[in-house]
Amino acid sequence: MRAVVQRVDGASVVVTDGSGTETVGEIIGEGLCVLVGVTHDDTPQKAAQLARKLWSLRILTDEKSCSDVNAPLLVISQFTLYGDARKGRRPTWNAAAPGPVAEPLVDEVVAQLRSLGAQVETGSFGADMRVSLTNQGPFTVLIEM
């Protein structure tokens, strides 16, 4: 699993479909916006490990974690984190797990975070999403499990 974690001062995700747009996830104030990518050999154990790391990662103001200050997280599935653009002009997505594998593992990250006590908002798996955020710092880290 791979996650791009951004410390934010508010973030939201909007889904657009034939009937209009809908905000499906939003956090207000300081928290984390987390883009999660899944590869073929990821497991529920890795999802739980990632959730624990996100909940305790000390990157908020004054080196606090979400667990310290009960800060919210916005978790969004992002298969393009496993894109490979080393050759040619088009990335390949061979390392990204297919939807039937990836979706339950992203859901497991969310479920594990909630079981730890986190307030978690989400995107909509496989949807056409627009993510808006204010990166605070800016502060962005990459986590690999």
Side-chain angles (χ1 to χ4, degrees):
M1 291 193 121
R2 186 174 284 169
V4 173
V5 183
Q6 297 181 70
R7 181 177 69 193
V8 299
D9 184 21
S12 64
V13 60
V14 173
V15 172
T16 303
D17 61 20
S19 62
T21 61
E22 176 188 2
T23 300
V24 295
E26 180 177 32
I27 60 173
I28 298 170
E30 187 176 49
L32 299 179
C33 181
V34 183
L35 306 176
V36 177
V38 178
T39 192
H40 300 281
D41 62 351
D42 285 335
T43 63
Q45 292 76 20
K46 284 187 180 181
Q49 183 182 10
L50 177 59
R52 288 189 303 273
K53 174 68 82 174
L54 294 170
W55 187 230
S56 62
L57 193 62
R58 303 180 75 76
I59 63 171
L60 298 179
T61 302
D62 297 327
E63 295 185 8
K64 301 287 186 186
S65 68
C66 287
S67 65
D68 292 333
V69 296
N70 203 30
L73 299 95
L74 176 61
V75 176
I76 303 163
S77 173
Q78 185 75 40
F79 80 93
T80 61
L81 293 181
Y82 278 101
D84 184 353
R86 290 178 289 184
K87 293 183 181 180
R89 294 179 292 157
R90 282 193 194 127
T92 64
W93 315 111
N94 297 335
V101 172
E103 185 173 12
L105 290 172
V106 174
D107 290 346
E108 183 65 17
V109 171
V110 172
Q112 290 290 326
L113 279 165
R114 288 179 175 151
S115 75
L116 293 168
Q119 174 197 336
V120 184
E121 296 288 321
T122 65
S124 182
F125 191 92
D128 181 15
M129 295 181 276
R130 303 288 187 265
V131 179
S132 299
L133 58 91
T134 302
N135 189 320
Q136 185 186 33
F139 201 114
T140 303
V141 294
L142 177 64
I143 297 174
E144 298 226 28
M145 293 290 142

